Amino acid sequence: MTPAPPPAGDTPDVLIVGGGIGGLSSAFALAREGLRVRVLERAAEFGEVGAGLQIAPNCTRILDEYGLLDEAKELGVLPEHMVMRDAIDAEELTRLDLRDVERRYGFPYLVIHRSDLHGIFLRACRRAGVELLTDRSVTDYEHTGNGARVRLADGTAEEAPVVIAADGLHSAARRELVGDDVVSSDYVAYRAAVPIEKVRDNGVAEQDVTVYVGPRCHFVQYALRGGDMFNQVAVFESPKALAGQDDWGTPDELDAAFAATCDTVRKGIPLMWRDRWWQMLDRDPVETWVHGRIALLGDAAHPPLQYMAQGAIMAIEDGWVLARHVARQSSAGDAAALDWDAVLASYEAVRVEHCRRVQSTARAWGDLWHLDGEKRLRRNAVMRARDTHDYGFTDWVYGPTALLPDEEPAMFTPIPLSTVPLTS
């Protein structure tokens, strides 16, 4: 049964600030539990900017539960392998057989355009009766006697029993409730999604996700939209950022960063969008996401560096976990009787630790990818020694999303590079 959207002006059960992938996926998850959900988006229309996303089995499992996986498969690509190569000499270092990954975890590894995944959730929210409002810029958050209230830039206010702040890396709620600053990695990302014909002569692997790791840079490639488009991401350390300059990550730095890389990477660099780039920022993990009836979600709670390709996934998982705890606490679908304090406490109890691990591992993974000199050689030796079907480094993240703290799997055991012998 599809619930009817609430009349304008009525108080919803849940108010979500932010209409990105985290906000919309959470709105859909909560609407599936019979809650009346209102989403406030600051832009004039719902949409996403960017290029490709990698969606691992811990997320395609959720898409399948939502009945959205087939649509995602139609719009995306199921690659055959994930291959890591050295960006200087193009040597293969290690690979994951993604068909075997699907057999192990029960769900596929998918790549999809960010706007396509956002569109899937937007259409799902409309079908589910979520109230979707644009041009609503939230500037302030307040607690009320039985919930929370947000103040908007136009002077109006909205309130609900619970407010979910899914307003991204530069979250107004995070600024007000936590007060910390973003952390710059001094790395910058350039992206491009181009017709496949533009790269077919560049030595690309159309059926794989390929990551070239090099000294202070890396380059990612994979097909999108049924193989008709090709996604590329170029990431490098900015000398201007290290020097403290405000204008950093500029196109001249892009060209210089990849000048010594292999042919396939160098051929891809001229295709990158040069009118926009993304400084790679995150925040230090925090232990408290719930402040009364205001809860942080997605990048507002745990913005990671992108090296594990889990940012959007974690936001989708957040909404799924929140909705599952709503279902556990619900009394015959009666939203008025829902124990929101118990729901939010359960959400925070399990998600904080998982996302802390992902954030910390993403930082370490970025360091590992960008090594130079002897450390690069030791890293390459470790990766070459890995068996294709060794899942010791993925089981903790690609498996089922934990609902309770004791369901969170043990992490992998790192291999200290200092213990790895160099071979001639």
Side-chain angles (χ1 to χ4, degrees):
M1 179 179 176
T2 300
D10 282 7
T11 300
D13 300 316
V14 183
L15 196 60
I16 295 180
V17 179
I21 288 172
L24 292 185
S25 61
S26 301
F28 176 65
L30 293 167
R32 292 177 77 239
E33 299 302 329
L35 298 181
R36 301 180 348 143
V37 184
R38 180 177 298 161
V39 177
L40 305 179
E41 165 57 35
R42 72 173 64 186
E45 59 184 23
F46 286 92
E48 277 281 358
V49 177
L53 288 174
Q54 300 181 52
I55 305 298
N58 54 314
C59 187
T60 52
R61 174 183 291 106
I62 294 173
L63 294 179
D64 184 66
E65 180 180 317
Y66 288 168
L68 303 176
L69 182 55
D70 286 344
E71 185 179 2
K73 287 181 178 179
E74 290 175 3
L75 295 174
V77 170
L78 297 177
E80 295 180 359
H81 300 92
M82 180 183 294
V83 182
M84 182 165 284
R85 296 182 178 275
D86 189 287
I88 302 302
D89 58 21
E91 176 193 11
E92 180 175 323
L93 303 178
T94 191
R95 70 170 53 213
L96 278 174
D97 182 333
L98 296 179
R99 294 158 297 188
D100 193 59
V101 165
E102 181 172 0
R103 287 190 290 270
R104 181 174 184 85
Y105 299 110
F107 297 90
Y109 197 103
L110 170 77
V111 292
I112 189 169
H113 199 288
R114 178 180 289 270
S115 65
D116 290 340
L117 183 62
H118 183 269
I120 287 171
F121 280 115
L122 182 61
R123 291 186 292 275
C125 283
R126 286 172 174 154
R127 292 192 299 268
V130 174
E131 188 181 10
L132 301 164
L133 304 179
T134 55
D135 287 315
R136 303 302 203 278
S137 181
V138 172
T139 59
D140 194 27
Y141 292 77
E142 302 172 355
H143 300 289
T144 64
N146 56 358
R149 179 185 299 118
V150 298
R151 299 277 180 190
L152 281 71
D154 63 5
T156 62
E158 299 260 5
E159 62 182 75
V162 65
V163 172
I164 306 299
D167 50 345
L169 172 68
H170 299 289
S171 164
R174 176 84 175 228
R175 182 173 62 249
E176 182 172 333
L177 299 171
V178 180
D180 61 339
D181 291 325
V182 297
V183 177
S184 174
S185 68
D186 298 324
Y187 277 74
V188 64
Y190 280 69
R191 296 184 170 93
V194 299
I196 192 70
E197 291 77 15
K198 286 196 171 185
V199 299
R200 283 216 162 110
D201 295 332
N202 291 357
V204 303
E206 295 183 37
Q207 304 303 317
D208 297 336
V209 174
T210 307
V211 183
Y212 293 86
V213 293
R216 295 171 296 283
C217 69
H218 75 268
F219 196 65
V220 183
Q221 296 181 314
Y222 52 85
L224 289 173
R225 290 184 172 159
D228 292 337
M229 296 187 71
F230 201 71
N231 186 64
Q232 299 190 138
V233 185
V235 175
F236 61 92
E237 186 179 54
S238 164
K240 293 180 183 178
L242 295 173
Q245 297 180 32
D246 293 333
D247 180 24
W248 59 276
T250 47
D252 58 307
E253 290 193 305
L254 167 71
D255 294 330
F258 290 92
T261 57
C262 64
D263 286 349
T264 300
V265 174
R266 287 203 315 276
K267 288 177 180 177
I269 294 301
L271 299 175
M272 307 309 295
W273 298 329
R274 290 174 177 253
D275 60 342
R276 67 192 110 166
W277 50 89
W278 289 260
Q279 296 175 355
M280 295 191 68
L281 313 171
D282 68 353
R283 291 180 186 265
D284 292 329
V286 291
E287 297 295 318
T288 303
W289 297 1
V290 175
H291 302 259
R293 293 290 185 84
I294 304 168
L296 303 176
L297 183 144
D299 278 358
H302 47 74
L305 295 178
Q306 293 90 329
Y307 301 107
M308 288 191 63
Q310 286 281 313
I313 291 174
M314 287 194 293
I316 293 169
E317 286 182 310
D318 287 350
W320 180 82
V321 168
L322 192 62
R324 292 295 297 153
H325 283 293
V326 165
R328 290 162 66 99
Q329 295 290 338
S330 290
S331 174
D334 183 2
L338 183 60
D339 186 346
W340 271 115
D341 295 323
V343 168
L344 296 176
S346 298
Y347 161 72
E348 185 178 63
V350 67
R351 292 304 293 161
V352 165
E353 175 59 16
H354 175 81
C355 296
R356 183 198 66 78
R357 292 179 178 186
V358 173
Q359 286 182 277
S360 300
T361 303
R363 286 178 171 180
W365 200 226
D367 291 341
L368 185 70
W369 284 14
H370 299 140
L371 294 174
D372 198 358
E374 184 178 290
K375 289 182 178 179
R376 165 178 166 254
L377 300 178
R378 293 182 188 275
R379 175 205 64 200
N380 289 0
V382 170
M383 290 186 172
R384 284 195 302 266
R386 176 190 163 272
D387 184 270
T388 299
H389 302 296
D390 174 9
Y391 295 106
F393 291 94
T394 57
D395 280 345
W396 72 278
V397 67
Y398 287 179
T401 304
L403 278 173
L404 301 169
D406 61 7
E407 295 175 354
E408 186 70 26
M411 286 193 69
F412 63 90
T413 301
I415 301 173
L417 291 184
S418 60
T419 66
V420 179
L422 285 175
T423 57
S424 58

